[in-house]
Amino acid sequence: MKMLFDGLQFVAEFDAGFSFKKKKEVRDAIIKNGGILSYLLNRKTDYLLLSNPEKIESFKCRSAIQKGVPVVNVDFIFKCIEESLVIDAKRCEVVSESNKKAFQKGKISETKKRRSAGQKRTILPSNVKFWARDDLNAPFFDEPASKLIKWAVYERESNAVKSCLVIEVAVCLQRDDPKNYRILVNSGTNFSQKREKDEFFVSGDSEETVATFAGLCQQAGHNRWNKSTSLPPAHLGSVKLHAMLSSFLPDQSPDESVLQLVYAMWEESMGQLLRRITKPLNEFDLDMVEEIEGILLQMKSSIQTRSPPSEMESLLNDLVEKLTLREKPSKVTLSEIASFQNLCQLIRDLICVQEANGGQPTTPIAKYTALGCRIGHVSEGSSEYEEVLERIKTSNSNASAISVRNIFRIQRCIEDEQFNTAVGNNTTLFHASNVKNFVGILSRGLLLPKVVVDDLGGLRTDAGLLGTGIYFAKDAMVSAKYSSPSETQGTRLMLVTEVALGRSKPTTKSDTTITDPPVGFESYHGVKATTETPSDFKDDEYAVYHVNQQRLRYIIEFTLPADKPKLPLALPASPMVQTPAAPVTVPMDASIDDMDCTETTTTPAAKAGLFSGGEMIPLRAVHVRARVVDLAVAVTLWQCFQNNSSQPIECRYVFPLDDNSVVVGFEALINGKRVVGRVREKKQARTEYREAIEAGHGAYLLEQESPSALSLSVGSLPVGAVCVIRVEIVAELATEGDELVWSLPGSVAPWEEESMLRAKRQAMTGTVAVAGARFGVESSLRVSVQMPTPLRRVECTTHRVRKKETECNAVVELARDQALDGRGFRLSILLAEVHAPRMWVEQGQPGEPQGCMVTFYPEFECDKSDDFECVIMVDASHSMKGQAFNDAQRVAMMVLKRFPVDAFFNVVLFGKGWKELFPSAVRATEENRLNAANFIKSASPTLGSSELSQPLFASSCMASPRGGLQNVVVLSDGHLLQPEQVIHVSQLASRRSLRLFTCGVGPVANRHMLRNVARHGGGMFEMFDPSAKSKWTDKVEAMLDCFGQPSLADVRVDWQVFSEEKREAMVQAPQLLPSLFHGQRQVVYGMVDDCRMATLRASADGTELSTVVSTYDMAVTTGRMLHQLGAKAIIRDWEEGVLHARRTQHEVEKRTRKAAIIDLSVKYSIVTQFTSFIAVEERKPGEVISENPNVDDLVMENDVDCLPYMAWVEPLRDVAHEEKQVEPLRDTKGLMGDNEFHLDDDVYDELFVDDSCALDCSFRADSVEMDSDDDDNDKDMKYRFMKKGGGGGDNWNEDEECDDECEADGFLGGEWDDDMLAKLVPDPESAQAHMSYLGERLDA
């Protein structure tokens, strides 16, 4: 029997104060539970036990940390014994005090000493030991338990004789064997069965294995072997290699009886589907299936908890709508739910099989190819046929009732690869199912049930008696009972399977809750009831709980006596060889500088303001007031519009919104009325809006139909009316480097704007488009900044501003000569302690929980490395056809172009199989990157279904924990097969120091799956939205920054709540936290009462780190800003976060929380995809406009100046700053241009009376330069006027040659006379302002 610490080796570091008695207790506890206690730290060490945590800085502890060995306290041993399992080492891990103190300040030091990727080993094959396969002294390698991870097939021809060379790499992870990697080399001629070379190399080092494989491939190239994509001869290469390549290159000439079987199975499946639903199969996708399965789980829960009938009716209506059922069930039972679950599985199978063949397989050969397995007809009378037939007959005395019509051999490569031979006790057993299920069974294998049904009814009364296992029988007649004749053929199908039962636990008691075999066993055996032995089981049945304990061997087509078989279906005529899809045509680049393949065309700018049939409705004013507190900002925006048209109109207006923002307040002020908006469910809000306009009232509807834009409908705006719209917004500050940034966007993407403006919400008045407004002439902006730590810098990079500042507070507003425009506004803030974790608490309204925010912004104390390693994996499956694959190519090229030359990289295309560009990662030279670019561009999405787990597993096995930073970036639409297996491999990769970055592409990307893979793989997820390509470059560069730096994984927050009731009521968002990299901030919100403290936990390089963040009672704020941001985070988590690791359960959580999300939006006045702001202005018949609102008075009511006692500091002239930005000057006679202005000839003639000089005068911030060109004497004259001191313009240096002319005209005399000023600025009202502005420019 397996013991608790079997195979685990512990090293003890006991100090002098640890008594002999305690040492003996620890030693005995380890030995008695099967462990090994050693005092020598080596590669076999699993844990280092430390008796005194203060000794964490000892040499042995530092060595253990560098080797990745967990350092735990001695309590670890006793906690494992107490819980009867080996607990997570992080629960007892000892952390260095220096690391703890640094973590409290947000600083993280690398604990592992990483080898540079540039130090990769180069190994010549001649320098390593190869063993002949038949050498008795050769080291043992467990081939049956191994998995194939790399291979290369080469061909060459000499003297008309073709030869083949096969190199393959396998790994065995099931055994604790120091030599778990093997390279097998075979070579020989194609026609001979003799192998000229048959040798292998074994190693326990992945890095050595990869280097040797790369050396062998390089040597093959030097020896004039040519790379081949064909299947090698049968006598060359391993069985596993042939099985894998056969699945990638399926048999193109199957037997006609095989095609007949496949065609009949497909017709049966489609017929069953069409009899129940009306929607065509091509209108379903996997996301829809997951959503439907979520509804089914809710329905099952509703039955079990006896929920109100109204809840079940609502769920049933949703199910009917999503599935488009032909007939609505009158009553929902568990049996009916199981039926719908089978229907979902059928749809899922058909979608996946169709994808494997490129969309619509219609011919029999296409259907066969799409299954992705090899099926062969076993000839009647052959020894193989007789052996299978004998197995059926001897299984039961009544087996003669089974009339076998055909036997087919099955080979599924993935099952052969995953079959766990180590379990043992391999037994031939039977499994039967309905014919309609066999398309799915052959394409993806047998699955564990997702829904356990307690009341199936019908014949199978014992279903689920052994829980959620896969069931088999030794008796063919027992399995035959669970089959049914097909509608198309009238015959039945049954599987003959090889099952690794291992140690099987016999039982006579049923238990539907079983999910795993008992400890010490690998399967269950339900013992048949007899007269001597009572049992819950009518027949002997076996159940296994892992899919890798079985593999399909044969399909039996048979009938029972009562069946009425039909004539075989006529096969439609079809060509036996399919023409592959043409590859995507992309121009080949000759330079690395042109790799992006991004679209360079610019979208025309949207028109500004409100429009009515082409006539602009002027934007009279816009004012912004913002209050920045810590990491949040509350913004109030006023916009004043006037209807100058001749009739009442409805205006549709689109306004930009930052991604981190949420609208929380809305008012309309018109004709002396203040109409306050209320949040309503979106459908209800639109109804109220339409009804108000139909009743002759005014109505205002504010909706957020995109994360980056708001749409406002102003209904029935009277002629001549002035309307002021007041919008309240709260937002998180963004981070850029060490700076906090608040930005106010100035425009909306035109493609988003166009779709929003097309919408029509009523039919009473004409609707006019309102484009995304640039701000108009009358505008102002003021921002207050209040921080908990000292400010280092507050600056605006878009406008000149004036300021007031203290140590922790500041106020900023636009300078007098500045205005808001299409550039928007951007404010950056640098704090003294930006990286320190901190907590903010806000008291809620009576009856509301308090809002908490914990923020962490880690700073890694290590240099960013350029010598990382990265594998680019591009999804080339059929689901990527069209825009998704084009986008994946573009992103891959952008990543490739930006690799530093010290980086190492490889490119992999994956689908049903995978293709690797280089044998191992190569340096990012220009030549290698160009080769990769051509490889990517010549690829096409023709590799069948999306199976990421195998290439990902291969990359994880090749990763070296001692190597440099190793990354995989996956470019996919996220519609991956075997999602649970992908997640499992992602976790395995993360444990081997391989980080997974996922990039979503295409219009229907499965974000949940890709985000989940990145979270489990210790990387990050980015969505490359085709409608926001302007952000792609920033996203790629941010991701590349992460490639070369360590990360912080397993981030979590433990809220200190002392009441279990309050803990259960607590809500956190995001619920599951991603890994963090340097420069990435994580904000976590909690709705929890009586919490002033939280523990932030994370791990860096396997070392557990934690720090306590808290706030004191005096620092607790009041208000709603934090609550609203927390509510927004909860809603965003609901919309796009990971609510559960399993997708179906995620959908259940999403549906369960939908009502609560709407209630939360209404409670905190938040606009979401389900809610909108609606404001109704009641009007009396014949009401006229008598009073227009004064926007200046409204703005004064909301002053944000937190330093009213201080004077403003006007902006200084900064040459570099002036040169960077564009400040359009106001259009006046004689003043033209942007950054500089030129004097008109007429004005110039008045300034400079000397006609011999034709001067072009340009005023700049640092000087005034006058370049002259004298045609007579070719004389170049330049005037520079530099201020030496004092006020006015009396003290100037000037070139002597033109002093008299300039001074005579008053240009340098210290004052501007009225005549001269009138020439420059004819408008008397603005003359003084322009004179001051011009003087400031000269004074600089």
Side-chain angles (χ1 to χ4, degrees), residues 1014-1030:
R1015 186 177 68 83
H1016 286 285
M1020 61 185 288
F1021 164 73
E1022 285 287 1
M1023 182 64 208
F1024 288 83
D1025 191 334
S1027 65
K1029 290 184 179 177
S1030 60

PDB file of all heavy atoms in Angstrom, residues 1014-1030:
ATOM      1  N   ALA A1014      -3.805  31.573 -19.694  1.00  0.00           N
ATOM      2  CA  ALA A1014      -2.749  32.496 -19.259  1.00  0.00           C
ATOM      3  C   ALA A1014      -2.647  32.545 -17.740  1.00  0.00           C
ATOM      4  O   ALA A1014      -1.541  32.596 -17.183  1.00  0.00           O
ATOM      5  CB  ALA A1014      -3.029  33.896 -19.813  1.00  0.00           C
ATOM      6  N   ARG A1015      -3.787  32.509 -17.060  1.00  0.00           N
ATOM      7  CA  ARG A1015      -3.760  32.579 -15.592  1.00  0.00           C
ATOM      8  C   ARG A1015      -3.095  31.343 -15.013  1.00  0.00           C
ATOM      9  O   ARG A1015      -2.242  31.428 -14.135  1.00  0.00           O
ATOM     10  CB  ARG A1015      -5.184  32.718 -15.047  1.00  0.00           C
ATOM     11  CG  ARG A1015      -5.237  32.954 -13.546  1.00  0.00           C
ATOM     12  CD  ARG A1015      -6.664  33.149 -13.092  1.00  0.00           C
ATOM     13  NE  ARG A1015      -7.455  31.933 -13.210  1.00  0.00           N
ATOM     14  CZ  ARG A1015      -7.462  30.974 -12.286  1.00  0.00           C
ATOM     15  NH1 ARG A1015      -6.720  31.069 -11.206  1.00  0.00           N
ATOM     16  NH2 ARG A1015      -8.218  29.903 -12.452  1.00  0.00           N
ATOM     17  N   HIS A1016      -3.458  30.156 -15.519  1.00  0.00           N
ATOM     18  CA  HIS A1016      -2.842  28.927 -15.014  1.00  0.00           C
ATOM     19  C   HIS A1016      -1.397  28.792 -15.470  1.00  0.00           C
ATOM     20  O   HIS A1016      -0.601  28.112 -14.806  1.00  0.00           O
ATOM     21  CB  HIS A1016      -3.643  27.709 -15.471  1.00  0.00           C
ATOM     22  CG  HIS A1016      -4.940  27.529 -14.744  1.00  0.00           C
ATOM     23  ND1 HIS A1016      -5.016  27.065 -13.459  1.00  0.00           N
ATOM     24  CD2 HIS A1016      -6.222  27.780 -15.122  1.00  0.00           C
ATOM     25  CE1 HIS A1016      -6.273  27.013 -13.076  1.00  0.00           C
ATOM     26  NE2 HIS A1016      -7.034  27.446 -14.069  1.00  0.00           N
ATOM     27  N   GLY A1017      -1.065  29.425 -16.587  1.00  0.00           N
ATOM     28  CA  GLY A1017       0.286  29.318 -17.112  1.00  0.00           C
ATOM     29  C   GLY A1017       1.226  30.402 -16.641  1.00  0.00           C
ATOM     30  O   GLY A1017       2.363  30.481 -17.115  1.00  0.00           O
ATOM     31  N   GLY A1018       0.779  31.251 -15.705  1.00  0.00           N
ATOM     32  CA  GLY A1018       1.659  32.262 -15.135  1.00  0.00           C
ATOM     33  C   GLY A1018       2.016  33.395 -16.072  1.00  0.00           C
ATOM     34  O   GLY A1018       3.013  34.085 -15.862  1.00  0.00           O
ATOM     35  N   GLY A1019       1.212  33.623 -17.118  1.00  0.00           N
ATOM     36  CA  GLY A1019       1.481  34.708 -18.056  1.00  0.00           C
ATOM     37  C   GLY A1019       0.391  35.751 -18.035  1.00  0.00           C
ATOM     38  O   GLY A1019      -0.183  36.045 -16.989  1.00  0.00           O
ATOM     39  N   MET A1020       0.082  36.299 -19.198  1.00  0.00           N
ATOM     40  CA  MET A1020      -0.954  37.321 -19.291  1.00  0.00           C
ATOM     41  C   MET A1020      -1.731  37.133 -20.584  1.00  0.00           C
ATOM     42  O   MET A1020      -1.274  36.484 -21.519  1.00  0.00           O
ATOM     43  CB  MET A1020      -0.338  38.727 -19.242  1.00  0.00           C
ATOM     44  CG  MET A1020       0.631  39.016 -20.368  1.00  0.00           C
ATOM     45  SD  MET A1020       1.449  40.626 -20.230  1.00  0.00           S
ATOM     46  CE  MET A1020       0.083  41.719 -20.638  1.00  0.00           C
ATOM     47  N   PHE A1021      -2.940  37.700 -20.614  1.00  0.00           N
ATOM     48  CA  PHE A1021      -3.827  37.611 -21.775  1.00  0.00           C
ATOM     49  C   PHE A1021      -4.023  38.994 -22.367  1.00  0.00           C
ATOM     50  O   PHE A1021      -4.206  39.974 -21.639  1.00  0.00           O
ATOM     51  CB  PHE A1021      -5.172  37.018 -21.357  1.00  0.00           C
ATOM     52  CG  PHE A1021      -6.274  37.237 -22.369  1.00  0.00           C
ATOM     53  CD1 PHE A1021      -6.287  36.535 -23.562  1.00  0.00           C
ATOM     54  CD2 PHE A1021      -7.288  38.152 -22.131  1.00  0.00           C
ATOM     55  CE1 PHE A1021      -7.283  36.738 -24.502  1.00  0.00           C
ATOM     56  CE2 PHE A1021      -8.299  38.362 -23.058  1.00  0.00           C
ATOM     57  CZ  PHE A1021      -8.296  37.652 -24.243  1.00  0.00           C
ATOM     58  N   GLU A1022      -3.986  39.066 -23.689  1.00  0.00           N
ATOM     59  CA  GLU A1022      -4.303  40.296 -24.399  1.00  0.00           C
ATOM     60  C   GLU A1022      -5.259  39.967 -25.531  1.00  0.00           C
ATOM     61  O   GLU A1022      -5.088  38.961 -26.231  1.00  0.00           O
ATOM     62  CB  GLU A1022      -3.050  40.951 -24.982  1.00  0.00           C
ATOM     63  CG  GLU A1022      -2.160  41.648 -23.968  1.00  0.00           C
ATOM     64  CD  GLU A1022      -2.734  42.950 -23.443  1.00  0.00           C
ATOM     65  OE1 GLU A1022      -3.869  43.313 -23.860  1.00  0.00           O
ATOM     66  OE2 GLU A1022      -2.074  43.599 -22.634  1.00  0.00           O
ATOM     67  N   MET A1023      -6.269  40.817 -25.704  1.00  0.00           N
ATOM     68  CA  MET A1023      -7.208  40.659 -26.811  1.00  0.00           C
ATOM     69  C   MET A1023      -6.847  41.652 -27.908  1.00  0.00           C
ATOM     70  O   MET A1023      -6.764  42.863 -27.665  1.00  0.00           O
ATOM     71  CB  MET A1023      -8.645  40.908 -26.330  1.00  0.00           C
ATOM     72  CG  MET A1023      -9.685  40.705 -27.416  1.00  0.00           C
ATOM     73  SD  MET A1023      -9.737  38.984 -27.988  1.00  0.00           S
ATOM     74  CE  MET A1023     -10.299  39.208 -29.666  1.00  0.00           C
ATOM     75  N   PHE A1024      -6.590  41.145 -29.109  1.00  0.00           N
ATOM     76  CA  PHE A1024      -6.248  41.998 -30.237  1.00  0.00           C
ATOM     77  C   PHE A1024      -7.513  42.217 -31.064  1.00  0.00           C
ATOM     78  O   PHE A1024      -7.796  41.490 -32.017  1.00  0.00           O
ATOM     79  CB  PHE A1024      -5.115  41.374 -31.051  1.00  0.00           C
ATOM     80  CG  PHE A1024      -3.790  41.449 -30.348  1.00  0.00           C
ATOM     81  CD1 PHE A1024      -3.436  40.511 -29.394  1.00  0.00           C
ATOM     82  CD2 PHE A1024      -2.921  42.496 -30.602  1.00  0.00           C
ATOM     83  CE1 PHE A1024      -2.236  40.601 -28.720  1.00  0.00           C
ATOM     84  CE2 PHE A1024      -1.711  42.598 -29.938  1.00  0.00           C
ATOM     85  CZ  PHE A1024      -1.363  41.647 -28.989  1.00  0.00           C
ATOM     86  N   ASP A1025      -8.250  43.219 -30.632  1.00  0.00           N
ATOM     87  CA  ASP A1025      -9.540  43.532 -31.232  1.00  0.00           C
ATOM     88  C   ASP A1025      -9.327  44.138 -32.614  1.00  0.00           C
ATOM     89  O   ASP A1025      -8.591  45.129 -32.757  1.00  0.00           O
ATOM     90  CB  ASP A1025     -10.276  44.534 -30.325  1.00  0.00           C
ATOM     91  CG  ASP A1025     -11.725  44.716 -30.723  1.00  0.00           C
ATOM     92  OD1 ASP A1025     -12.046  44.492 -31.910  1.00  0.00           O
ATOM     93  OD2 ASP A1025     -12.537  45.077 -29.859  1.00  0.00           O
ATOM     94  N   PRO A1026      -9.943  43.567 -33.653  1.00  0.00           N
ATOM     95  CA  PRO A1026      -9.747  44.117 -35.005  1.00  0.00           C
ATOM     96  C   PRO A1026     -10.280  45.530 -35.163  1.00  0.00           C
ATOM     97  O   PRO A1026      -9.888  46.230 -36.092  1.00  0.00           O
ATOM     98  CB  PRO A1026     -10.509  43.128 -35.904  1.00  0.00           C
ATOM     99  CG  PRO A1026     -11.450  42.405 -35.003  1.00  0.00           C
ATOM    100  CD  PRO A1026     -10.798  42.363 -33.652  1.00  0.00           C
ATOM    101  N   SER A1027     -11.156  45.967 -34.264  1.00  0.00           N
ATOM    102  CA  SER A1027     -11.685  47.331 -34.359  1.00  0.00           C
ATOM    103  C   SER A1027     -10.836  48.337 -33.599  1.00  0.00           C
ATOM    104  O   SER A1027     -11.177  49.515 -33.540  1.00  0.00           O
ATOM    105  CB  SER A1027     -13.124  47.370 -33.808  1.00  0.00           C
ATOM    106  OG  SER A1027     -13.135  47.066 -32.428  1.00  0.00           O
ATOM    107  N   ALA A1028      -9.735  47.892 -32.980  1.00  0.00           N
ATOM    108  CA  ALA A1028      -8.867  48.804 -32.219  1.00  0.00           C
ATOM    109  C   ALA A1028      -7.406  48.498 -32.530  1.00  0.00           C
ATOM    110  O   ALA A1028      -6.598  48.280 -31.642  1.00  0.00           O
ATOM    111  CB  ALA A1028      -9.155  48.676 -30.732  1.00  0.00           C
ATOM    112  N   LYS A1029      -7.072  48.477 -33.824  1.00  0.00           N
ATOM    113  CA  LYS A1029      -5.713  48.116 -34.219  1.00  0.00           C
ATOM    114  C   LYS A1029      -4.685  49.163 -33.819  1.00  0.00           C
ATOM    115  O   LYS A1029      -3.486  48.872 -33.774  1.00  0.00           O
ATOM    116  CB  LYS A1029      -5.658  47.875 -35.724  1.00  0.00           C
ATOM    117  CG  LYS A1029      -6.388  46.609 -36.145  1.00  0.00           C
ATOM    118  CD  LYS A1029      -6.238  46.322 -37.625  1.00  0.00           C
ATOM    119  CE  LYS A1029      -6.955  45.027 -37.995  1.00  0.00           C
ATOM    120  NZ  LYS A1029      -6.889  44.741 -39.435  1.00  0.00           N
ATOM    121  N   SER A1030      -5.139  50.367 -33.515  1.00  0.00           N
ATOM    122  CA  SER A1030      -4.194  51.402 -33.094  1.00  0.00           C
ATOM    123  C   SER A1030      -3.519  51.047 -31.771  1.00  0.00           C
ATOM    124  O   SER A1030      -2.450  51.572 -31.458  1.00  0.00           O
ATOM    125  CB  SER A1030      -4.930  52.745 -32.946  1.00  0.00           C
ATOM    126  OG  SER A1030      -5.958  52.640 -31.969  1.00  0.00           O
TER     127      SER A1030
END
